[in-house]
Amino acid sequence: MWRPLSLILEIFTHLRYRSRFERLVPAIGTLGAVDVRGGDTWTRYATPRSLFELWAPAFDSPYEPYHCVTLFAALGHARTKPHPPPPGVVERIEDRPLIKVPDQPIEVHWLNQSTMVIIDIFGPAAVSLGVRFIQRGCQPVCTFDNWPHPRGVGKPEFTLAALLYYSPLVADARELIKVDSPPVWLCDASRLVGRRPSPGNFDNRYYLDDTLLPGSNFLKAQGIDRLVIILGNKSRKLAPDVEAWLADRARDGFEVFSTHLDEPALDVQPIRPVRGHFPRIGSRSAAGGFGSLVPEPSSSGG
Amino acid sequence: MHATSWGLELPERRELMRELQFRYHKWDLYACGHEGILPETLVLPGEVHREVIQISERFGQILTKLEAIVARTPRLLDRLGIPREMYPILRAGPAHELQLARYDLHPTPEGGWMLSEFNEDVPGGFNEAVGLPELLGERFGRARFVGDLRGAVVEAMSPFGPVGSIFATGYSEDLQHCLIIEDWLEAAGHPTCRGSPAHVRRSWGTVKLDGTPIEAAFRYYPGEWFPRLPNFDGWRRLGDKLPMLNPLRRLIRQSKLLFSVWREEGLLSAEELAFVDRHAPWTGEAGRDVSLEQLRDEPEAWVLKQAFGRMGDSVVIGALVSPKTWSETLKEVKLDPSGWLAQRRFGHVPMPFQLGPLYPAVGVYLVNGSFAGYYSRAAPKPLLTHEALHVATAVVDP
């Protein structure tokens, strides 16, 4: 079994319901769960704040406002049980040499100071590939804005497991991350394409909006003029939120490229994203969130 | 009234924000790349503190009276733009009169206070409203943080055992509000659980949220959305029998068209009407009480709002928008005038902050009719939207 997934299974093995209502005991993974190095270094990062800061952009980075707290916070409120991975998912990930073992910095010719990388693939794989960009000196920005649930439409707990599993590698690479390093945005492509909610499901899908993806003026101020999006495979289409955002950037003069995991050298091709509706915070809010952009207002039926 | 700097060095401020993010679940600290909290505290003189409380509590009393009348008068419910499917629930009334509300008051050039709106359905902002005073402590001399929102909410829910939080599960910014309420309730001994209102079932006299029995609920889901729920029939049968903070009947107070309805003859006494006239802008139904021609010719004098707009997302101030935007809004009003109201624009006084002049709005929390704390904001324009900055609020000589 893919190791991050086995880690999450172990983590949640040690989280038990003591009663119907009591919070799960956050004694996470003390009984033998191992990380990418086969050790327990990951336990140093098993609190929401320490894991959030480990995977954050550089200290005082202008990108910090886009580094999303939500999934990291879930680590302190775990009220969930392990889920078996969907059939075939683990096998597909392990078949991808680019992300199987992130033990070396990524080697791509197009990466420079003016490039923003957006990895938009299955969450755990985005984390794995993200490690290789961090090892190359990129600063990570995590956009995981959902919450695990035993009957969640999405499975962000797998992503959380991956963040813990690879934590020793990121800890070692953090000294490479500088305030002016190119950013690598880590996105979970399953944010909108999880199972369709059915009775009793918990709808934890979400859009990337302008709290998670910056505007043109901001990017230009950081010296970014090229955007590269990495997708899961050649046939994979851009998600509507990212496509609308890329189209807006293209309109403002940014070069936009894409590549995918089936491309061994991650060679990029220019793309022309189609304009669409990019979700903006104006229809959500700090004090309410009453927009109607989430595909359904709530989670279930029946 | 003035603003005073927190006086924190950058590392201290950074630590405070981290605490706010992780101890108080304030995850949306940033909006579009900008921090949403001013590193300043708004200091109210004692007499201002007492005045805004008096205004808010008096409004609360008047709205309680109005709510009861409107709930049993379909003609008035029609005017509020409330979905008709909700009428039976509103008529039946709540099992418990729980209230968690926030009233937003603005200082005027005449030295008074005007209420732009009240948030009686699902007010927010608890995370920073409680978190900042606890984290900042007593560092502002004679100015002290006042109110006890946490204690008031816990006290309001004290008659009940298990409490469920219901919210739109796709929104993490709603979840953060539920989590802090759950923290308070669990610390007070209430078991808690959470889920969507679509997960609520009633069987054999027991209400269950996602299969877990609950005796009460904290509702962070807008009342006007309920008819869209797949289990709305169940809610209709349940009515307002499940004690909720807030009951569904609060939807009546949430409609901004109530500003217009309360002028109907016989609803309020002369004293009450004089009070609301003093502290709330004149409001009429667009196209009915104020003609579209008048709105077209006097954009400077009017504000257009939708009955159930939230966070300023459907507020159009004629003086602040281009003629084109005003004209397009009027076209929308013409297409569906029933959901729109026209409000006379009132003067709003800016005050100096470190960022420059900003327009403050003092948000007063009421829990079960009594003052429970502040959630104030300041904005570059006299309009509260998601871009408004939160500002902690303290009082000298409360």
Side-chain angles (χ1 to χ4, degrees), chain A residues 23 60 145 151 288 291 298 300, chain B residues 14 171-172 174 186 196 210 230:
Chain A
R23 285 181 185 236
D60 278 342
D145 194 16
R151 293 186 305 284
S298 188
S300 76
Chain B
R14 176 183 287 271
Y171 287 136
S172 60
D174 293 8
E186 292 203 350
S196 154
D210 200 15

Side-chain angles (χ1 to χ4, degrees), chain B residues 182-200:
Chain B
E182 287 174 23
D183 283 355
W184 300 345
L185 294 176
E186 292 203 350
H190 296 266
T192 67
C193 58
R194 81 181 79 95
S196 154
H199 296 150
V200 172

Side-chain angles (χ1 to χ4, degrees), chain B residues 88-123:
Chain B
I89 298 176
L90 305 184
R91 257 198 307 272
H96 291 262
E97 287 288 355
L98 297 169
Q99 182 200 31
L100 167 54
R102 196 190 70 230
Y103 291 12
D104 293 333
L105 291 153
H106 307 260
T108 66
E110 296 78 27
W113 291 89
M114 289 292 269
L115 185 78
S116 62
E117 62 180 70
F118 22 80
N119 303 275
E120 287 265 10
D121 195 43
V122 277

Side-chain angles (χ1 to χ4, degrees), chain A residues 20-21 23 49 53 59-60 64 79 145 147 151 201 203 281 284-291 297-300, chain B residues 14-15 18 28 122 169 171-174 177 183 186 191 196 199 210 212-213 220 222 225 230 310-311 386:
Chain A
R20 184 77 202 177
F21 283 103
R23 285 181 185 236
R49 179 171 170 175
E53 291 180 342
F59 189 75
D60 278 342
E64 183 174 346
R79 291 191 194 202
D145 194 16
W147 194 261
R151 293 186 305 284
N201 286 161
D203 190 351
I281 192 178
R284 304 168 17 145
S285 80
F290 302 123
S298 188
S299 61
S300 76
Chain B
R14 176 183 287 271
E15 180 61 24
R18 278 282 187 271
D28 54 352
V122 277
T169 56
Y171 287 136
S172 60
E173 65 267 45
D174 293 8
H177 286 90
D183 283 355
E186 292 203 350
S196 154
H199 296 150
D210 200 15
T212 302
Y220 208 81
W225 282 13
R310 314 236 178 202
M311 283 298 290
H386 61 280

Side-chain angles (χ1 to χ4, degrees), chain A residues 57-134:
Chain A
F59 189 75
D60 278 342
S61 165
Y63 301 113
E64 183 174 346
Y66 298 96
H67 184 48
C68 181
V69 179
T70 309
L71 185 58
F72 295 96
L75 194 56
H77 289 77
R79 291 191 194 202
T80 185
K81 289 179 176 177
H83 302 271
V89 166
V90 173
E91 290 74 11
R92 283 205 305 276
I93 292 172
E94 289 191 330
D95 281 349
R96 302 298 184 86
L98 274 168
I99 57 175
K100 185 178 177 185
V101 184
D103 56 354
Q104 290 177 35
I106 195 83
E107 289 299 333
V108 285
H109 63 87
W110 43 261
L111 182 62
N112 60 28
Q113 291 290 107
S114 62
T115 306
M116 171 180 173
V117 182
I118 304 111
I119 302 176
D120 196 14
I121 58 182
F122 179 53
V127 170
S128 177
L129 183 58
V131 171
R132 299 191 65 189
F133 278 89
I134 295 167

Side-chain angles (χ1 to χ4, degrees), chain A residues 139-187:
Chain A
Q139 45 183 334
V141 178
C142 297
T143 63
F144 309 122
D145 194 16
N146 61 349
W147 194 261
H149 189 278
R151 293 186 305 284
V153 172
K155 300 296 174 200
E157 56 268 39
F158 297 154
T159 306
L160 193 53
L163 291 164
L164 284 165
Y165 182 75
Y166 293 117
S167 55
L169 301 181
V170 179
D172 287 350
R174 275 210 70 87
E175 63 183 16
L176 302 172
I177 300 173
K178 309 294 181 202
V179 169
D180 59 351
S181 297
V184 56
W185 247 252
L186 307 186
C187 310

